[in-house]
Amino acid sequence: MKIAHYTKVARWEYLPAELPALLVPIFLTFTSIADIPIITYMEGVAVFALLYFSGFIINASTDIDVDKKCKTYVAYAAESMGIGTLRLLTLLQVIAAFLLSLHLAYITGNIYLPVLVAIGIFFGIGYSVKPFHFKVRGTLHVIALLLSAFMLPFIFLYSILTTNITPEMYMVIVGFSFAHYGIALTNQTADYLEDKEGGMCTPAVRWGLLPTIRFALIMMFAGLFVLLLGLGFWASSRAEVIGLEPKIAVLILACAVGLGYSVPIRGLYKMKLIAMGDDKIEDKMKKIKALMNYPRWQASGILGLVIATGSIFTLAILYPQVVPPATLQEEVAIVVEKVVYDNGFATISFNVSERCDMVVIEAFWGGDLYARKEIYDVVGSVSACVKIKDENTTEIRILGYKKGAVVASEIVKSKHDIYIKGVSSKIYYKGIDKRANLTISLYNAYEFKSSGEVKVVVQSYSHKSCIDSVSIYADSMEPGNTYTIHADVDLPETGDCCVIVSLFKDNKLVESTEIV
């Protein structure tokens, strides 16, 4: 029963509308599924969920009297759980969210993540709690709800994926926030009579029903204009990636976003006509409540945005950009400041001295491209995450482009300059002796001083006793190439055994791998 009450005070009925929005920062940032830091992003989603629920819970604890008149199920659940329990839950969730944000700051290198969370907590909790109680303070209502419910969460989730928030991305974030604040504001007008009777000066009570709905429409249209403008610039910059004319990409976005937001726009316009009518206020409110469908309006707008950005994201995956070869013309400096390895990803913090149209980050393992990420319109300090094989053997290359030409480059070398790329084995018999033939692939990432400094030792073991050992010295190896070595070792006639392949350079162990 407690869980059922929790879902009501935390307003889980809004989740179907909000969950698809979590895909938008991913669609806006990446052009490859392999590059998405899923575990890190899900940790960020956990922070968002904890604070999202906390805002509703603390609001339910302070609005019990008003909710008894218009949201009886929320008031009943809040009373059943108790105000003390609700406040304790809010406190624990807020602390957990902030601690997670500190961990995210550590693994991403973005120190602003806890700052965004702290600001969000202030406005989100202050929205409902005295002495701040931004909910009843007119203009501060706009600022508090706009920031805590829409703008800061969007910036937070986007900043987990990249620190390079371009001007068009700010336009997308601001436009989205304005539009959805307009929808949220109309949802509060449905409680106009109850709030007025309870002495709660919400915007509808303070400004009046019709002015509030008009203001919501202005926010909606202004937000959509800025949102579409930002998405248009973003789609144009992705045109080379998806192989479409910029005009076609923008048309796809405009149709999907326009169709999605047409649902709340029609609803708001009908509310405006009702508010302008000559009916008594009680009759107007009955019609508005019958018309109001806040979850559907939010979901429709978000779904249009998801389809728009998801279409471009899907096309980028199906038709990845092939960067044309170009002569390196070093005009811009790229300086790597920090690299953090975590959970199969590398977060690289670097500085670009002059604006580049695009920066490409490529992870190479064994001479082959392992993962790739593109960032557009880059200048100054940037942090980006790319998938890696492992931190010891993956080389990361950063290339800056202007007008299709490479104008800057930087390499984060792998920790091991030579490593085992792969081992395969085949068992055979030489007379009555059981043997294993091993094919060992070595990758030489960088040039060596002389021949004879690389040695491979192959040992077979049975019950922790060494049966056979073979040492092979590699000849001089050209950098950037894979070399194959063959070795044969004896095996026991029966029972389990293992073969250990060890790689040495200058008589120091580089790595070893075991085959059972």
Side-chain angles (χ1 to χ4, degrees):
M1 183 60 70
K2 288 288 187 181
I3 295 177
H5 292 331
Y6 179 87
T7 61
K8 288 180 173 59
V9 296
R11 308 303 294 272
W12 279 28
E13 70 265 29
Y14 293 155
L15 283 180
E18 304 295 341
L19 289 177
L22 300 175
L23 295 172
V24 175
I26 292 175
F27 293 159
L28 291 171
T29 307
F30 296 101
T31 57
S32 169
I33 294 176
D35 293 340
I36 303 171
I38 296 175
I39 295 176
T40 303
Y41 190 68
M42 290 307 297
E43 188 174 345
V45 170
V47 174
F48 165 77
L50 288 168
L51 296 180
Y52 179 81
F53 295 145
S54 296
F56 283 118
I57 291 171
I58 196 66
N59 188 64
S61 71
T62 58
D63 283 3
I64 291 177
D65 292 336
V66 174
D67 287 342
K68 283 180 180 179
K69 301 171 185 176
C70 54
K71 301 185 185 78
T72 54
Y73 67 98
V74 176
Y76 173 74
E79 283 191 324
S80 299
M81 294 186 71
I83 293 177
T85 300
L86 294 176
R87 289 178 177 175
L88 178 61
L89 274 173
T90 302
L91 178 63
L92 293 176
Q93 289 181 174
V94 164
I95 292 173
F98 188 74
L99 291 176
L100 285 174
S101 73
L102 290 175
H103 179 252
L104 284 168
Y106 172 74
I107 62 177
T108 63
N110 189 342
I111 61 173
Y112 295 107
L113 295 178
V115 177
L116 291 170
V117 168
I119 298 172
I121 291 171
F122 172 72
F123 283 110
I125 303 301
Y127 178 81
S128 303
V129 174
K130 295 179 180 180
F132 306 107
H133 209 192
F134 300 127
K135 184 176 181 178
V136 298
R137 299 192 181 275
T139 304
L140 289 176
H141 176 283
V142 181
I143 296 171
L145 190 60
L146 186 75
L147 289 176
S148 64
F150 305 109
M151 192 175 295
L152 289 175
F154 203 146
I155 295 175
F156 174 78
L157 291 172
Y158 192 77
S159 297
I160 291 173
L161 304 174
T162 177
T163 57
N164 182 43
I165 305 182
T166 58
E168 59 264 29
M169 284 301 100
Y170 276 117
M171 293 173 71
V172 170
I173 293 169
V174 170
F176 173 86
S177 302
F178 274 51
H180 284 267
Y181 173 81
I183 301 174
L185 185 58
T186 56
N187 182 50
Q188 293 188 356
T189 61
D191 301 334
Y192 170 74
L193 291 178
E194 292 80 6
D195 288 340
K196 188 174 183 179
E197 184 180 341
M200 187 172 292
C201 293
T202 57
V205 175
R206 182 183 291 271
W207 301 334
L209 183 62
L210 181 59
T212 302
I213 294 173
R214 283 174 172 165
F215 180 68
L217 275 168
I218 291 171
M219 292 290 286
M220 168 71 81
F221 281 113
L224 278 177
F225 175 77
V226 177
L227 175 63
L228 286 170
L229 201 59
L231 286 174
F233 287 126
W234 171 77
S236 297
S237 68
R238 289 292 175 93
E240 293 181 3
V241 178
I242 60 180
L244 285 178
E245 287 291 330
K247 292 180 180 179
I248 298 176
V250 172
L251 183 62
I252 292 173
L253 285 169
C255 289
V257 172
L259 188 63
Y261 283 98
S262 66
V263 174
I265 287 174
R266 286 198 304 268
L268 266 67
Y269 182 71
K270 289 179 180 179
M271 286 179 62
K272 175 176 173 288
L273 294 179
I274 293 171
M276 292 174 63
D278 298 327
D279 295 337
K280 293 181 180 180
I281 187 64
E282 290 80 9
D283 294 331
K284 289 180 180 179
M285 294 313 304
K286 287 179 182 178
K287 292 180 181 179
I288 285 176
K289 286 184 177 182
L291 174 67
M292 172 68 65
N293 193 334
Y294 176 69
R296 180 171 175 264
W297 293 359
Q298 288 278 17
S300 180
I302 289 171
L303 186 60
L305 184 59
V306 170
I307 292 173
T309 55
S311 299
I312 305 300
F313 174 77
T314 302
L315 287 170
I317 292 173
L318 295 176
Y319 306 102
Q321 179 192 36
V322 178
V323 179
T327 304
L328 180 63
Q329 303 171 0
E330 293 281 359
E331 300 175 359
V332 183
I334 295 178
V335 179
V336 175
E337 299 168 343
K338 183 181 179 182
V339 182
V340 178
Y341 300 96
D342 185 71
N343 293 323
F345 286 88
T347 302
I348 310 103
S349 299
F350 57 96
N351 187 277
V352 183
S353 62
E354 295 181 21
R355 187 176 300 278
C356 289
D357 299 332
M358 177 175 67
V359 169
V360 176
I361 303 170
E362 298 176 322
F364 283 85
W365 185 81
D368 301 321
L369 181 63
Y370 185 75
R372 187 175 190 269
K373 180 171 184 178
E374 300 160 0
I375 311 174
Y376 297 88
D377 193 20
V378 183
V379 68
S381 296
V382 183
S383 181
C385 189
V386 66
K387 191 174 183 180
I388 60 171
K389 180 76 172 179
D390 66 67
E391 61 183 271
N392 292 320
T393 59
T394 302
E395 176 183 286
I396 300 171
R397 304 174 188 174
I398 307 172
L399 301 174
Y401 285 83
K402 280 187 177 183
K403 298 180 180 179
V406 179
V407 294
S409 65
E410 182 65 303
I411 295 177
V412 179
K413 292 186 176 181
S414 59
K415 294 182 179 180
H416 294 167
D417 50 15
I418 184 170
Y419 48 86
I420 300 171
K421 188 176 179 180
V423 179
S424 62
S425 63
K426 182 179 180 181
I427 297 176
Y428 71 99
Y429 285 88
K430 185 177 182 180
I432 61 172
D433 296 330
K434 186 178 180 181
R435 311 202 75 194
N437 175 259
L438 286 88
T439 302
I440 305 158
S441 298
L442 302 179
Y443 182 73
N444 178 18
Y446 310 111
E447 191 171 3
F448 301 126
K449 297 177 181 177
S450 61
S451 62
E453 60 185 341
V454 178
K455 179 175 69 173
V456 177
V457 178
V458 182
Q459 297 171 305
S460 57
Y461 285 84
S462 179
H463 303 294
K464 298 184 179 181
S465 297
C466 183
I467 299 172
D468 194 9
S469 178
V470 177
S471 297
I472 304 169
Y473 288 87
D475 294 330
S476 180
M477 300 163 59
E478 291 296 325
N481 285 290
T482 300
Y483 291 82
T484 302
I485 294 175
H486 297 279
D488 292 82
V489 289
D490 293 331
L491 299 177
E493 292 297 325
T494 59
D496 295 332
C497 68
C498 71
V499 177
I500 298 177
V501 180
S502 302
L503 174 65
F504 292 84
K505 182 173 181 288
D506 295 330
N507 294 320
K508 294 180 181 179
L509 178 65
V510 176
E511 64 173 322
S512 62
T513 185
E514 181 178 317
I515 304 172
V516 179

